[in-house]
């Protein structure tokens, strides 16, 4: 009896360990694959050409990835500016202000929005949003960075809302009551007690939302116009851009295996990987710090 | 003189629990009134009516009146924020805000719009002295409040509500998590405070009720069973149910 229990214990622990390790191994394998296919780009294209401003890989062997990098950044930045206030605001509304029946409608609705396939949003973007923006803002085309930002913002909002809402929900009721009992208004309590107490969770929500936006491919490919133009000013927010993800998705099917173009696309993949790794590390270090603080408080 | 007059107060939470049933009670000015009884008797519920903290929980029905200085605070037109400054509250578990000691004390005043540093400093010192905490923390007012011991944190919470210069202080089992020495300090502070303030205390034991009560009210399942002077209540209660509880035969 004793013995079989020990065996079971042993096997289960091993299985859990193995699945944990394999997750890490998969990530490493993917990264090594990216490295193997992407690093040769550095040998085949001089660095100065790689970080130049012209991306015309087919006609002229111009492999400047800066337009793609700035394209991704401007679309993501726009999305973040939309998604952060809107997402946190919605989370605060759901967890702090809405009456119970409203909360019970809104929460599943947000989850549902989060599960919407991005190609469907792309459709809406092309058919509804882009023509509307073109007429409303009087632009030559509605397929712009801004259109992409709006849609990506929409994609990031459910992520931000559901993670931030959980964080707010986890703030002990006693904190709020403590503030109310001191004569704080509802708004003062939210702004000065509840949100600061949920800070780390809210930050994680923001990071995850941004991560979601950076990696999004389908929607941006459909609505940003895909022109590889360096996007550095505010006006480029309202002209077509091309993002890193859209470039890889659009061109990977057409390149010949092992060509320079192929290697550069992988190099772009590496850059993307590093960016989202950075975002994730930033997010988890925030959470880690907060955890340590919580442990200190408890002990 | 009665500072608070409760008239026919009934309250039902939205899940159907009837937590207060036709409670009528007068609470004396500048004295300690103790609300005691077994768990679920409605003591916390009554306390939370006195500063309208129950506005924020799901209450199904409530009826009756609560007069403070002659004004019905259950009237929807009451300025709840002003009421909560006038009626301070200390909870069972000290809730220190993630700020410095000083920050915790000035927080309520800052919310009320007080910005003058001299006023704030004055309030910090005055309220800490009232809560018998000044000597222990005067050297480290800018340390994080979370570094204080549990008993000190609880007195900090007391000081925090005193900083707003309330007239009434509600305490809901303020010493339930404290050791006997800290408990003694809080009780001693209350004895000082009652010279200036009206105090309503839910004690965490019958013994504490006996030690602190000028007046006492015994609650059983939402009903006010008996009210009277503290001494009389704990030596010769009129009601059989009170006697059973006080002598430890149930609850
Ligand atoms: N937010 C709430 N929602 C629903 N029912 C509640 C709520 N708060 C309290 N009650 C119920 O109301 C009744 C009285 O509760 P209350 O907390 O006032 O009792 P108490 O006398 O303070 O008890 P204790 O000594 O355990 O603190 C209990 O039956 C309790 O279950
Ligand atoms: Mg209680």
């Amino acid at each position: 009896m004793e013995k079989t229990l020990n065996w079971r214990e042993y096997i289960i622990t091993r299985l859990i360990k193995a699945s944990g390790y394999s997750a890490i191994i998969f990530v490493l394998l993917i990264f090594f694959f990216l490295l193997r296919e992407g690093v040769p780009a550095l040998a085949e294209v001089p660095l100065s050409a790689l970080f130049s401003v012209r991306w015309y890989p087919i006609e002229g062997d111009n492999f400047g990835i800066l337009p793609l990098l700035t394209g991704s950044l401007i679309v993501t930045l726009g999305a973040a500016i939309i998604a952060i206030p809107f997402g946190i605001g919605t989370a605060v509304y759901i967890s702090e202000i809405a009456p119970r029946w409203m909360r019970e409608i809104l929460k599943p609705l947000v989850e549902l929005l989060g599960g919407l396939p991005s190609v469907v949003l792309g459709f809406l973007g092309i058919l509804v949003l882009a023509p509307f923006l073109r007429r409303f803002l009087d632009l030559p085309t509605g397929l712009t960075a801004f259109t992409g930002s709006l849609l990506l913002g929409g994609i990031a909002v459910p992520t931000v809302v559901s993670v931030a809402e959980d964080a707010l929900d986890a703030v002990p009721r006693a904190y709020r009551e403590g503030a109310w009992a001191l004569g704080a208004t509802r708004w003062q309590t939210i702004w000065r007690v509840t949100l600061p107490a949920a800070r780390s969770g809210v930050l994680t929500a923001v990071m995850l939302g941004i991560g979601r936006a950076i990696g999004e491919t389908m929607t941006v490919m459909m609505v940003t116009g895909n022109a590889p133009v360096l996007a550095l000013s505010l006006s480029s927010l309202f002209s077509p851009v091309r993002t890193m993800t859209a470039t890889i998705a659009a061109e990977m099917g057409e390149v010949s295996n092992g060509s320079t173009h192929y290697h550069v696309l992988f190099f772009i993949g590496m850059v993307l990987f590093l960016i989202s790794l950075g975002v994730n590390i930033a997010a988890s270090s925030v959470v880690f710090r907060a955890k340590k603080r919580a442990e200190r408080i408890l002990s | 003189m009665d500072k608070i007059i409760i008239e026919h107060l009934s309250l039902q939470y939205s899940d159907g629990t009837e937590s207060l049933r036709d409670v009528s009670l007068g609470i004396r000015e500048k004295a300690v009134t103790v609300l005691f009884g077994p768990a679920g008797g409605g003591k916390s519920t009554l306390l939370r009516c006195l500063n309208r903290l129950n506005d924020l929980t799901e209450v199904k029905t409530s009826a009756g009146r609560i007069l403070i200085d002659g004004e019905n605070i259950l009237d929807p037109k009451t300025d709840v924020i002003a009421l909560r400054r006038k009626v301070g509250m200390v909870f069972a578990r000290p809730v220190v805000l993630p700020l410095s000691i000083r920050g915790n004390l000035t927080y309520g005043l800052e919310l009320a719009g007080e910005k003058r540093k001299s006023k704030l400093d004055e309030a910090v010192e005055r309220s800490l002295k009232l809560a018998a905490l000044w000597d222990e923390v005067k050297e480290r007012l800018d340390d994080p409040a979370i570094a204080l011991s549990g008993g000190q944190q609880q007195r900090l919470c007391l000081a925090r509500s005193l900083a707003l210069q309330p007239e009434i202080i509600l305490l809901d089992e303020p010493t339930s998590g404290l050791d006997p020495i800290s408990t003694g300090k809080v009780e001693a502070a209350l004895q000082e405070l009652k010279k200036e303030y009206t105090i309503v205390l839910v004690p965490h034991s019958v013994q504490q009720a006996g030690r602190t009560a000028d007046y006492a009210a015994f609650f059983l399942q939402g009903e006010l069973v008996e009210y009277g002077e503290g001494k009389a209540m704990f030596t010769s209660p009129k009601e059989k149910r009170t006697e059973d509880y006080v002598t430890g035969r149930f609850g």
Side-chain angles (χ1 to χ4, degrees), chain B residues 13-15 17 19 37-46 57-58 172-173:
Chain B
Y13 284 107
S14 53
D15 60 359
T17 15
S19 302
K43 302 160 306 220
S44 302
T45 303
L46 178 57
T57 41
E58 313 222 338
D172 194 349
E173 307 188 22

Side-chain angles (χ1 to χ4, degrees), chain A residues 28-284:
Chain A
L28 284 179
L29 283 178
I30 290 171
F31 188 61
F32 281 128
F33 181 66
L34 272 179
L35 275 183
R36 202 190 69 187
E37 303 293 319
V39 166
L42 288 171
E44 290 158 18
V45 186
L47 261 189
S48 58
L50 206 51
F51 288 95
S52 70
V53 298
R54 289 172 62 82
W55 175 264
Y56 292 112
I58 314 261
E59 297 88 38
D61 273 357
N62 288 314
F63 293 112
I65 66 167
L66 279 187
L68 314 178
L69 198 65
T70 55
S72 274
L73 290 184
I74 197 168
V75 173
T76 308
L77 197 72
I81 290 174
I82 294 162
I84 292 171
F86 197 65
I88 295 180
T90 310
V92 165
Y93 177 74
I94 292 179
S95 112
E96 306 294 310
I97 298 171
R100 179 180 291 199
W101 60 269
M102 188 64 140
R103 189 173 331 170
E104 258 143 42
I105 298 174
L106 282 178
K107 271 185 91 163
L109 202 68
V110 167
E111 309 285 333
L112 198 73
L113 280 180
L116 216 59
S118 55
V119 70
V120 174
L121 274 171
F123 250 151
L124 286 179
I126 289 182
L127 292 179
V128 182
L129 189 60
F132 170 76
L133 285 178
R134 184 170 56 84
R135 247 174 294 129
F136 189 69
L137 298 173
D138 198 17
L139 300 168
T141 167
L143 302 176
T144 64
F146 183 65
T147 321
S149 289
L150 278 179
L151 283 177
L152 279 193
I155 288 176
V157 160
T159 311
V160 177
V161 172
S162 82
V163 179
E165 205 263 337
D166 282 347
L168 289 170
D169 222 38
V171 174
R173 191 174 170 75
Y175 274 37
R176 300 184 183 100
E177 295 195 336
W180 287 327
L182 285 174
T185 61
R186 203 166 210 181
W187 169 242
Q188 287 170 328
T189 306
I190 291 169
W191 187 243
R192 302 195 48 176
V193 177
T194 320
L195 270 177
R199 193 175 40 212
S200 70
V202 172
L203 271 176
T204 311
V206 167
M207 300 284 191
L208 288 175
I210 293 177
R212 179 85 216 272
I214 292 179
E216 178 53 43
T217 307
M218 209 27 146
T219 323
V220 284
M221 194 155 79
M222 290 167 84
V223 303
T224 55
N226 292 325
V229 191
L230 196 63
L232 287 178
S233 63
L234 191 68
S235 65
S236 44
L237 191 58
F238 296 101
S239 45
V241 295
R242 171 184 276 221
T243 66
M244 298 193 281
T245 48
T247 307
I248 297 176
E251 297 176 8
M252 195 46 107
E254 297 162 9
V255 297
S256 55
N257 208 326
S259 66
T260 308
H261 188 182
Y262 172 91
H263 287 143
V264 173
L265 287 183
F266 268 98
F267 182 76
I268 296 173
M270 262 166 59
V271 173
L272 257 178
F273 185 90
L274 289 178
I275 292 177
S276 45
L277 196 70
V279 171
N280 275 316
I281 289 176
S284 55

Side-chain angles (χ1 to χ4, degrees), chain A residues 99-100 103 173-186 188-189 192-193 196-197 297, chain B residues 48 51 53 56-58 81 84-85 87 89 91 95-98 107-108 110-111 146 160-161 164:
Chain A
R100 179 180 291 199
R103 189 173 331 170
R173 191 174 170 75
Y175 274 37
R176 300 184 183 100
E177 295 195 336
W180 287 327
L182 285 174
T185 61
R186 203 166 210 181
Q188 287 170 328
T189 306
R192 302 195 48 176
V193 177
I297 288 169
Chain B
R48 294 161 59 89
N51 66 352
L53 209 54
L56 301 146
T57 41
E58 313 222 338
I81 303 301
R84 295 200 187 123
R85 293 198 179 113
V87 184
M89 185 161 194
F91 299 88
V95 188
V96 302
L97 301 169
Y107 185 74
E110 281 166 11
L111 289 179
I146 205 79
R160 187 172 65 189
S161 45
L164 286 169

Side-chain angles (χ1 to χ4, degrees), chain B residues 59-225:
Chain B
V59 173
K60 190 155 134 208
T61 57
S62 68
R65 302 203 302 167
I66 299 177
L67 306 174
I68 296 184
D69 294 330
E71 251 176 86
N72 181 16
I73 60 151
L74 296 184
D75 190 312
K77 287 200 286 287
T78 307
D79 178 354
V80 181
I81 303 301
L83 171 73
R84 295 200 187 123
R85 293 198 179 113
K86 179 170 164 178
V87 184
M89 185 161 194
V90 177
F91 299 88
R93 280 191 55 199
V95 188
V96 302
L97 301 169
L99 303 167
S100 66
I101 296 174
R102 188 198 305 278
N104 264 277
L105 291 166
T106 56
Y107 185 74
L109 286 171
E110 281 166 11
L111 289 179
E114 180 63 74
K115 288 196 183 71
R116 285 165 295 175
K117 187 157 187 324
S118 60
K119 284 274 179 195
L120 294 175
D121 285 344
E122 191 188 304
V124 167
E125 180 167 348
R126 182 179 49 78
S127 55
L128 282 175
K129 280 183 173 157
L130 280 173
L133 189 58
W134 174 249
D135 290 327
E136 289 163 59
V137 302
K138 65 182 174 202
E139 307 292 335
R140 47 179 178 136
L141 291 176
D142 293 307
D143 285 5
I146 205 79
L148 295 174
S149 78
Q152 288 170 330
Q153 285 186 20
Q154 192 56 293
R155 275 176 289 149
L156 181 67
C157 290
L158 179 58
R160 187 172 65 189
S161 45
L162 291 173
L164 286 169
Q165 298 198 285
E167 294 168 23
I168 299 165
I169 305 166
L170 314 172
L171 303 106
D172 194 349
E173 307 188 22
T175 57
S176 59
L178 304 187
D179 62 279
I181 293 175
S182 299
T183 302
K185 284 183 178 163
V186 172
E187 286 177 11
L190 291 182
Q191 293 308 314
E192 275 306 303
L193 286 170
K194 76 178 185 194
K195 293 172 190 158
E196 290 290 324
Y197 300 86
T198 303
I199 294 174
V200 187
L201 169 72
V202 176
H204 81 263
S205 67
V206 181
Q207 289 77 8
Q208 184 175 46
R211 284 196 299 271
T212 49
D214 295 317
Y215 300 91
F218 177 60
F219 283 85
L220 192 60
Q221 290 172 2
E223 206 184 320
L224 174 62
V225 174

